[in-house]
Amino acid sequence: MLRTAFIVEAKAMSQAFPIEKVRNIGIIAHIDAGKTTTTERVLYLTGRTYKIGKVDEGTAVMDWMQQERERGITIVSAATTCYWREHRINIIDTPGHVDFTAEVERSLRVLDGGIVILDAVAGVEAQSETVWRQADKYRVPRICFVNKMDRPGADFCHTVNMIEERLQTKALPIQLPLGKEKALQGIIDLVQNKAYAFPDDPSLNPVEVAIPENEKATVVKYRQALSEQLAENDDDIMLAYLEEKEIAISRLKAAIRRLTIANQIVPVLCGSALRNKGIQPLLDAVGDYLPSPVDVPSTPATDVRTGEQILCQASDRAPFSALAFKVVSDPFVGRLVYFRVYSGKIAGGAQVFNPTTGEKERLGRLFAMHANHREEVKEVSAGDIAATLGLKKTSTGDTFCDFVQPVLFEPICFPEPVLSMAIEPSSKADQGKLDDVLGKLAQEDPTFKIRNNAETGQTLISGMGELHLEVLIERMSREFGLKAKVGKPQVAYKETITIPVESEGRFIRQSGGRGQYGHVWLRLEPGERGSGFEFRDQIRSGAIPKEFVQPVEEGVKEALQSGLASYPVVDVKVTLYDGSFHEVDSSDLAFKIAGSMAVRNGIGKAKPVILEPIMKVEIMAPVEFLGDIIGDLNSRRGNIDNIEAHGETCVVRACIPLAEAFGYASALRSLSQGRANYTMEFCRYQDVQANLAEQLLGKVGVE
């Protein structure tokens, strides 16, 4: 029988809660699948809010930013806490748009479980695959909720098949829809073998009803499939199944929970969040099948003193350790750092150690967050997700911990930006303010980069797409009162080398007093695509003193910021293997300049190539427009990966260079009479075609 919400008074939010009853979950999905709508229903049903917020009306609690309400999309992840059936559920609602994928990445890094929302009509869409891969990377156990079952064309079985085919996982339906499309009444619970209808009034509890006669054969088939799938991994259920005995509901739930936490199956539920159908069973499933902090493996960390790997256990008795996963510049309280506690507990005002920076810092007030509202708490414990003031030198991905056992967690990796544009203040007097605001935004968003072009004197900002940069520029105006002039978006090209070379850098300058002397030999080698920059010190016999190695590396990094065509140079291994020094004239500056000179000399000899970002695009359109769409993709230097037909609709998956993707939304609307839609996300960097490379080199005056 479904249970009603276990609503806790607000004062209980600051009290300790059994860690076994805590659930840290994220709600993740493709854009417009219904993540925020589902979250709003969850908050209402758990008593966290007194009315249901609506995305299309701009009243959603979790979409608190003004731009989110105007655009009707989630831009930043928002955290909240609610209570259901003796469980405390910490929820992070994440964006679905690919431009804000960093918000999903850092949320999944600190979560124990996830709810993946899928559109019952579209099934598994492009961004659904992306967030699924992100969850796979962190081995986050998941349940799937097939939303919008009330829409025309909704197909639960087809969506389940897509989960298995596209996401390469074992989907386990534990519910079936009761009714179809507009006639959707509720759900059939396969575990309990019962059906529930949901009244239109969300404040009323679901009502148990008889399973319709025309559905009984389908229910028997799916219940048998459920038992078979569980029996494959559970000996007790296998024995009961072979003996054709009735399997207790408690045993079925225990087996589903164990296999879900082990990432061997993914339970699939269904409903319609907008029509308030299926949300209570979804909340039940969070408590029944998703893990608490003690159910997932202990988090590995590096002992700063010994360099050995240790495991941080989710216990209040262990030394304190936490990971900062988000930084926000709050206009009212200042710099707010979101963090996940992995072990131990700590109170506001305590001093902590940040091994990432080597700094000691003092925590300010501690908060439990409810979107943009703060509820002060006295202390936080293992498994908690909270926010704090006072950590001025802590950035996204930093560890902070107890002095007794300093540990370092693996940092969060973020994708590189693919789009750039020039920016300048509306007046020279605002230059200082512009630098300050850009710095604050870069601290918040690891995928937002700032670079100064030494040759043109321009400030370039880079992000994950046009929408990403547009939102940030709007924030500068609204939140910080800064008007700025921006150029047209430009592709974030990069450079790399194709052959290994050896290069010399010699910097000698004599003046009336002490001179400057730095001399290095570097070996430049191409690295694997996506490997980034690697520096190795192979100096032997003291050819260069150790104290000058770091300045050489700094000079190398500086030189790689701008290659032959003024684009950043990536995927390069640089080895310092020889050089010389002067007892009196050598200095850090001299060796930094020598390292930079060696790189610049070497890049020209290493047959550099320009790399361009390639985007993966998925287009859903009526079949009648397929020919025109493919022709347009070919004209944009696109490569068609595959085409799938679903009745009168087709799905085209292709890869096109970002340089050819500008204005694609308008072009696609024109080609399909406004009936097609698409999603686009970054895929990889690859070599630019020779003729285009010549054009790019010509623009910067390189022969």
Side-chain angles (χ1 to χ4, degrees), residues 178 195 208-212:
L178 180 63
E208 184 179 340
V209 296
I211 297 174

Side-chain angles (χ1 to χ4, degrees), residues 166-316:
R166 287 208 195 173
L167 305 179
Q168 299 294 300
T169 190
K170 285 189 176 181
L172 181 71
I174 59 173
Q175 292 178 1
L176 293 175
L178 180 63
K180 190 176 181 182
E181 298 178 353
K182 288 185 178 180
L184 180 73
Q185 299 176 52
I187 59 101
I188 299 171
D189 189 321
L190 295 173
V191 177
Q192 300 186 67
N193 199 21
K194 294 179 180 179
Y196 295 94
F198 292 79
D200 291 334
D201 186 345
S203 63
L204 298 177
N205 290 327
V207 178
E208 184 179 340
V209 296
I211 297 174
E213 286 296 326
N214 62 339
E215 294 283 0
K216 285 184 176 179
T218 304
V219 171
V220 169
K221 184 181 82 169
Y222 271 89
R223 282 206 90 212
Q224 185 174 353
L226 183 148
S227 299
E228 287 175 359
Q229 202 160 335
L230 294 178
E232 290 177 8
N233 298 280
D234 190 293
D235 292 340
D236 290 339
I237 291 180
M238 171 67 82
L239 187 62
Y241 177 74
L242 293 174
E243 294 176 354
E244 298 184 353
K245 292 181 179 178
E246 186 68 25
I247 304 169
I249 292 173
S250 59
R251 286 174 62 184
L252 287 173
K253 286 187 174 183
I256 295 171
R257 176 178 176 77
R258 181 172 59 80
L259 296 174
T260 302
I261 292 173
N263 276 300
Q264 291 180 271
I265 62 168
V266 177
V268 184
L269 300 87
C270 60
S272 169
L274 187 63
R275 291 181 60 191
N276 307 300
K277 300 188 187 299
I279 304 302
Q280 292 97 326
L282 177 63
L283 280 164
D284 289 343
V286 169
D288 289 338
Y289 307 128
L290 289 180
S292 72
V294 294
D295 294 321
V296 295
S298 297
T299 309
T302 302
D303 189 317
V304 175
R305 294 167 299 188
T306 65
E308 296 178 356
Q309 189 180 83
I310 61 173
L311 297 176
C312 294
Q313 296 183 343
S315 168
D316 289 352

Side-chain angles (χ1 to χ4, degrees), residues 342-377:
Y342 283 102
S343 63
K345 61 182 179 178
I346 201 163
Q351 195 174 53
V352 293
F353 175 61
N354 183 338
T356 311
T357 61
E359 299 278 351
K360 296 177 183 179
E361 293 200 78
R362 188 171 296 279
L363 295 173
R365 290 182 291 164
L366 300 175
F367 302 104
M369 298 301 297
H370 177 52
N372 62 329
H373 299 290
R374 301 170 298 277
E375 297 168 350
E376 190 166 354
V377 294

Side-chain angles (χ1 to χ4, degrees), residues 570-584:
V570 297
D571 305 336
V572 177
K573 297 178 183 177
V574 179
T575 304
L576 171 62
Y577 69 92
D578 201 2
S580 62
F581 71 102
H582 189 279
E583 291 284 356
V584 177

Side-chain angles (χ1 to χ4, degrees), residues 265-580:
I265 62 168
V266 177
V268 184
L269 300 87
C270 60
S272 169
L274 187 63
R275 291 181 60 191
N276 307 300
K277 300 188 187 299
I279 304 302
Q280 292 97 326
L282 177 63
L283 280 164
D284 289 343
V286 169
D288 289 338
Y289 307 128
L290 289 180
S292 72
V294 294
D295 294 321
V296 295
S298 297
T299 309
T302 302
D303 189 317
V304 175
R305 294 167 299 188
T306 65
E308 296 178 356
Q309 189 180 83
I310 61 173
L311 297 176
C312 294
Q313 296 183 343
S315 168
D316 289 352
R317 294 186 295 274
F320 173 76
S321 64
L323 181 75
F325 67 93
K326 183 172 179 175
V327 176
V328 175
S329 296
D330 191 297
F332 300 104
V333 297
R335 197 169 186 267
L336 201 61
V337 176
Y338 288 69
F339 63 96
R340 158 72 189 264
V341 182
Y342 283 102
S343 63
K345 61 182 179 178
I346 201 163
Q351 195 174 53
V352 293
F353 175 61
N354 183 338
T356 311
T357 61
E359 299 278 351
K360 296 177 183 179
E361 293 200 78
R362 188 171 296 279
L363 295 173
R365 290 182 291 164
L366 300 175
F367 302 104
M369 298 301 297
H370 177 52
N372 62 329
H373 299 290
R374 301 170 298 277
E375 297 168 350
E376 190 166 354
V377 294
K378 292 181 179 179
E379 68 175 14
V380 289
S381 306
D384 283 346
I385 292 175
T388 184
L389 300 170
L391 299 180
K392 296 180 180 178
K393 297 179 181 178
T394 297
S395 302
T396 299
D398 283 4
T399 304
F400 54 99
C401 57
D402 200 319
F403 295 95
V404 176
Q405 186 175 0
V407 295
L408 186 64
F409 292 118
E410 182 181 351
I412 308 171
C413 295
F414 295 99
E416 286 294 313
V418 296
L419 201 69
S420 300
M421 61 173 61
I423 187 169
E424 62 182 38
S426 54
S427 66
K428 288 186 178 180
D430 284 338
Q431 183 62 55
K433 187 176 181 181
L434 175 67
D435 294 339
D436 180 56
V437 170
L438 291 178
K440 287 180 178 178
L441 293 175
Q443 283 184 345
E444 289 188 22
D445 187 347
T447 58
F448 176 60
K449 304 290 185 184
I450 308 156
R451 183 167 65 93
N452 293 312
N453 189 319
E455 296 184 8
T456 63
Q458 287 182 313
T459 298
L460 298 176
I461 56 174
S462 303
M464 300 305 297
E466 292 181 80
L467 180 61
H468 184 203
L469 293 177
E470 184 183 320
V471 165
L472 289 171
I473 291 165
E474 229 174 286
R475 283 190 61 195
M476 290 170 57
S477 173
R478 294 188 182 196
E479 295 178 26
F480 300 98
L482 178 67
K483 299 288 185 182
K485 301 175 185 175
V486 294
K488 291 182 179 179
Q490 298 175 342
V491 177
Y493 292 105
K494 297 183 186 295
E495 297 179 45
T496 192
I497 60 175
T498 56
I499 61 170
V501 296
E502 294 182 349
S503 178
E504 181 184 25
R506 186 191 296 269
F507 178 69
I508 302 174
R509 178 170 294 171
Q510 293 297 332
S511 58
R514 178 180 172 181
Q516 296 283 0
Y517 184 93
H519 175 221
V520 299
W521 276 95
L522 302 178
R523 186 181 300 112
L524 279 62
E525 301 169 272
E528 294 290 329
R529 192 58 48 84
S531 61
F533 166 69
E534 181 184 347
F535 182 83
R536 293 180 291 193
D537 172 19
Q538 291 186 356
I539 291 294
R540 298 288 181 269
S541 305
I544 297 175
K546 286 290 182 186
E547 62 265 27
F548 295 136
V549 172
Q550 182 65 32
V552 173
E553 182 177 356
E554 291 173 4
V556 169
K557 287 180 179 178
E558 195 173 283
L560 292 176
Q561 292 299 309
S562 181
L564 198 65
S566 298
Y567 303 121
V569 183
V570 297
D571 305 336
V572 177
K573 297 178 183 177
V574 179
T575 304
L576 171 62
Y577 69 92
D578 201 2
S580 62

